[in-house]
Amino acid sequence: MSCILISGGFGYIGSHTATLLSEKNQKYVIVDNFSNCKREIVDKIRTITKNKVCFYDCDIRDNKNLIKIINENKVTSVIHFAALKSVSESIVNPLEYYEVNVNGTISLLKAMQLTGVKKFLFSSSAAVYGEPDFCPIDESHILKPLNPYAQTKIIIENILKDIYKAEKNWSVACLRYFNPIGAHKSGLIGDDPLSGKNANLMPEIIKVVRGIKDYLEVFGDDYPTPDGTGIRDYIHIMDLAEAHYKALNFIDKKNGINFFNIGTGKGVSVLELKKAFENVSGLNVPIKISKRREGDCAACFANPKKANDILKWSAKYDLNQMCESSWKFVNRNSK
Ligand code: NAD
Ligand code: UD1
């Protein structure tokens, strides 16, 4: 039976993907160093999946331990989520980002090479496109990294291209995620990072409804968009998890390297997302308009046709369902 190693499997995207793989009866083993997740996530995944969670408290830079884990569990493919992901932090501390993201990935790839595992699914990001020249963005759009975080994703994509050039029996897919939001239908797991540094839009809206913040700061209402606020492609976390399952099946069948945009193809503004959350929760989310956030673009949304056609994947959940699941997660986890 095949076994998937999930690096960073206790983080936001990894934990949701793990529950889906379990639902599909896919065996997996998680490697995570708990640097951005709570220990209670293990029990939560166990509760959802009604299964023992096989995991190792291990840093991906610990190459020797990775080799042991791969051999012990007869790993056949890898989904690589483990990384640092804060854009602002990467600008302040670029070395840490290159160290964890790039060196960490090299350590994992070397462990794979030594053990003969050659199927690799990589968490890339829409951040690789920077300020887009056009929307919807397709995979041929030029890559214009605006910060060290995005640079690390491009460097890793390039390393993977070079590996495939050298060894044609690798099978790699790089999934360029747009903006995942929402939570598992149980409401048990959601976007729940350890540090308070997560300043993405949905977690910020949640801070307001939890009373941690008085208002949502809207970064600019003077963009050339219909309501003046920034437009993004929000995607339900379980749709994103499903994309991994489909991509795993794809790399199982075919050697090569492929890049896929994983988004809904629909642009939603800051005020539209806020309104949708208010409708679902019945609560008012006060706002304050402030100046544009540095490095933000007006609009960024995907053309997901390649993933639709090749992976046979498309997003199923709408904005209301994304907000409903986030709201359920807030209610089940407010203390
Ligand atoms: P996350 O921080 O919630 O999860 C990452 C997990 O990796 C955490 O559990 C953390 O403890 C673990 N980890 C970090 N460094 C590690 C190390 N050196 N060794 C072992 N484990 C380590 O992040 P996420 O939102 O789940 O993102 C997963 C991946 O997707 C990342 O590569 C991220 O860059 C990428 N991505 C995320 C988004 C997003 O909006 N969340 C968008 C685009 C791309
Ligand atoms: C950000 C990162 C991106 C990364 C992604 C996932 C930047 C510039 N980009 O994307 O590289 O892949 O997170 O981690 O940081 N907004 C507000 N008020 C807030 C928070 C956000 O108005 O308090 C607005 C933003 O200006 C933007 C939209 O909401 O228009 C979405 O922001 P966010 O959730 O941070 O995602 P991105 O900026 O798209």
Side-chain angles (χ1 to χ4, degrees):
M1 192 194 187
S2 61
C3 177
I4 319 291
L5 185 152
I6 311 179
S7 82
F10 288 138
Y12 176 41
I13 307 172
S15 58
H16 289 78
T17 304
T19 65
L20 185 87
L21 292 186
S22 174
E23 213 174 273
K24 310 273 188 192
N25 292 318
Q26 172 61 60
K27 196 175 163 210
Y28 61 84
V29 51
I30 289 175
V31 169
D32 202 299
N33 69 352
F34 291 89
S35 61
N36 198 31
C37 59
K38 298 173 182 153
R39 296 259 165 195
E40 65 196 39
I41 185 71
V42 183
D43 284 336
K44 288 181 167 188
I45 296 179
R46 188 182 300 131
T47 304
I48 292 171
T49 61
K50 300 185 182 68
N51 264 317
K52 194 172 163 286
V53 183
C54 176
F55 75 95
Y56 294 81
D57 183 346
C58 166
D59 194 295
I60 49 165
R61 289 164 291 177
D62 184 348
N63 175 263
K64 283 204 176 80
N65 209 3
L66 285 179
I67 292 169
K68 200 164 155 265
I69 294 167
I70 291 174
N71 282 331
E72 262 173 27
N73 293 279
K74 300 189 172 54
V75 166
T76 46
S77 331
V78 172
I79 310 183
H80 179 36
F81 293 109
L84 302 177
K85 64 162 178 178
S86 158
V87 167
S88 50
E89 213 179 54
S90 80
I91 294 166
V92 176
N93 199 352
L95 266 184
E96 184 68 9
Y97 272 66
Y98 287 108
E99 163 63 28
V100 174
N101 293 8
V102 179
N103 287 358
T105 304
I106 291 173
S107 158
L108 178 55
L109 289 166
K110 278 190 165 169
M112 289 174 65
Q113 197 175 43
L114 272 161
T115 51
V117 179
K118 289 165 190 284
K119 297 182 203 300
F120 191 70
L121 212 54
F122 172 58
S123 295
S124 190
S125 167
V128 297
Y129 298 118
E131 169 87 46
D133 294 338
F134 56 83
C135 278
I137 302 170
D138 63 33
E139 291 81 357
S140 66
H141 188 288
I142 186 172
L143 306 186
K144 294 187 292 185
L146 295 175
N147 47 66
Y149 167 74
Q151 283 282 15
T152 66
K153 296 295 178 189
I154 294 178
I155 290 171
I156 296 162
E157 286 192 359
N158 285 334
I159 290 172
L160 292 167
K161 281 187 205 162
D162 287 340
I163 291 179
Y164 179 67
K165 261 189 222 153
E167 296 175 46
K168 296 281 186 248
N169 55 355
W170 278 71
S171 183
V172 177
C174 300
L175 304 186
R176 293 173 179 162
Y177 314 149
F178 280 67
N179 293 56
I181 59 171
H184 188 265
K185 62 178 184 235
S186 62
L188 255 190
I189 60 171
D191 195 358
D192 198 17
L194 250 197
S195 51
K197 65 196 175 204
N198 187 345
N200 292 124
L201 183 56
M202 184 56 99
E204 288 300 300
I205 290 177
I206 288 173
K207 280 182 204 155
V208 177
V209 298
R210 274 183 159 170
I212 298 165
K213 279 188 135 182
D214 292 337
Y215 54 82
L216 172 72
E217 212 179 329
V218 174
F219 297 136
D221 66 349
D222 55 352
Y223 282 107
T225 60
D227 66 18
T229 65
I231 287 182
R232 296 291 184 275
D233 188 335
Y234 298 99
I235 172 171
H236 195 297
I237 186 70
M238 293 314 295
D239 273 330
L240 185 54
E242 180 78 24
H244 289 83
Y245 181 65
K246 294 279 174 77
L248 270 179
N249 289 337
F250 175 73
I251 60 171
D252 232 12
K253 293 192 190 93
K254 213 167 168 267
N255 293 341
I257 176 161
N258 276 282
F259 303 84
F260 297 101
N261 284 344
I262 305 296
T264 64
K266 293 189 191 79
V268 169
S269 75
V270 174
L271 295 182
E272 283 169 337
L273 180 62
K274 175 194 90 92
K275 184 84 205 145
F277 193 87
E278 287 179 329
N279 287 341
V280 159
S281 64
L283 293 174
N284 183 32
V285 178
I287 60 166
K288 186 176 156 218
I289 307 291
S290 36
K291 62 178 179 24
R292 294 180 181 190
R293 183 174 66 178
E294 208 188 318
D296 269 358
C297 58
C300 173
F301 53 98
N303 177 346
K305 192 173 181 308
K306 187 174 174 191
N308 300 162
D309 292 349
I310 297 179
L311 300 182
K312 311 283 178 234
W313 167 89
S314 59
K316 293 190 199 81
Y317 297 103
D318 64 20
L319 195 63
N320 271 340
Q321 292 167 305
M322 298 180 212
C323 292
E324 273 163 8
S325 65
S326 287
W327 182 225
K328 188 168 179 185
F329 175 66
V330 173
N331 285 320
R332 263 201 93 161
N333 294 277
S334 315
K335 286 186 189 105

